[in-house]
Amino acid sequence: MSESRVRIGLVYPELLGTYGDRGNAVVLTERCTRRGIAAELVEIAASEPLPDSLDLYLFGGGEDNPQSLAAERMRASAAALTRARAGGAVVFAVCAGFQLIGHQYQTGDGEMLEGLGLVDVTTVGGAPRLIGEVVVEPDPTLSLPTVTGFENHSGRTTLGPGVQPLGRVVHGGGNGDGSDGALGERLVGTYLHGPVLPRNAALADFLLGWIVGADALTPIDDHLTDALHAQRLASATATGWRARIQELRTNRG
Ligand code: GLN
């Protein structure tokens, strides 16, 4: 940590906030505060350069046009982010943000958005859009419970050789090839909105663990979050079964 207070950066919320990803920043800050760990939510407006002093950088999702503006601004602040990363800063990026921490995203209209290349992934817009509930079984090495979220994107993401996904898609689209997201050094990318961290407390703590250390993550009352997690998981599974039954009926008829 760069200072005693955990500084959680919400990057360009007016451009990368279409899908409620602000909730990720709120949850991370709140989970620190409830444990007596001083934390601050720092919003970085799109008109400002990214500071190099934050402990965690959150990049949310967005439609292609605001995403294009965000890409330009992120590239202009690439040096600050590199300094922050060298100092141990964590990156958590969702959907448009995930695409932009990769090398590039080619939109469905053919526009090429250059990303930061923090992780070796490339994305191409495709059809149909992948919309709906997603269930991901995280890579076993992470020891995380099943992750649930919501997705709405056209991008199909290809991981470079040796890049590990966040996990395997059990329901939904994710990267488009049966996997979702990517893992890097103190970095997680995913297609999951929801927002995803209020729905998956263990994933929020996994990220915080990189900053404050696992020992500082004392138990907190998670009964509401756990109930939400169970409810969303059941809902996604039910949606999956309904879709499958519909498919079987259609194929039969
Ligand atoms: N614009 C991107 C796409 O459609 C990302 C969408 C999002 O962030 N939900 O793939």
Side-chain angles (χ1 to χ4, degrees), residues 25-164:
V26 173
V27 157
L28 289 167
T29 311
E30 185 65 23
R31 293 186 76 78
C32 286
T33 307
R34 287 192 191 182
R35 293 175 164 121
I37 301 167
E40 184 187 357
L41 198 169
V42 181
E43 285 192 33
I44 304 112
S47 54
E48 293 164 20
L50 287 182
D52 62 7
S53 55
L54 305 181
D55 296 297
L56 193 146
Y57 292 77
L58 287 167
F59 298 93
E63 292 146 349
D64 286 359
N65 286 343
Q67 185 177 0
S68 169
L69 296 174
E72 209 179 287
R73 285 157 174 76
M74 281 166 71
R75 287 196 304 273
S77 282
L81 202 55
T82 303
R83 282 195 300 277
R85 296 275 294 149
V90 172
V91 167
F92 182 62
V94 174
C95 205
F98 170 42
Q99 295 166 350
L100 294 181
I101 61 164
H103 294 301
Q104 50 193 206
Y105 165 48
Q106 185 179 349
T107 70
D109 294 340
E111 190 189 352
M112 188 63 89
L113 309 185
E114 296 298 329
L116 293 177
L118 300 183
V119 60
D120 182 13
V121 306
T122 54
T123 304
V124 177
R129 285 190 80 78
L130 300 171
I131 304 171
E133 289 290 312
V134 197
V135 177
V136 173
E137 213 48 74
D139 190 276
T141 56
L142 304 178
S143 301
L144 280 173
T146 309
V147 173
T148 83
F150 176 81
E151 65 183 337
N152 181 354
H153 59 101
S154 67
R156 282 14 180 212
T157 297
T158 305
L159 309 184
V163 178
Q164 231 186 318

Side-chain angles (χ1 to χ4, degrees), residues 159-216:
L159 309 184
V163 178
Q164 231 186 318
L166 169 63
R168 183 174 59 83
V169 172
V170 179
H171 176 74
N175 293 340
D177 64 355
S179 70
D180 175 69
L183 294 169
E185 176 81 25
R186 295 164 83 87
L187 173 151
V188 175
T190 178
Y191 267 106
L192 273 57
H193 296 284
V196 68
L197 298 184
R199 287 172 58 151
N200 301 277
L203 182 58
D205 279 356
F206 176 79
L207 298 172
L208 288 176
W210 274 331
I211 302 168
V212 299
D215 289 351

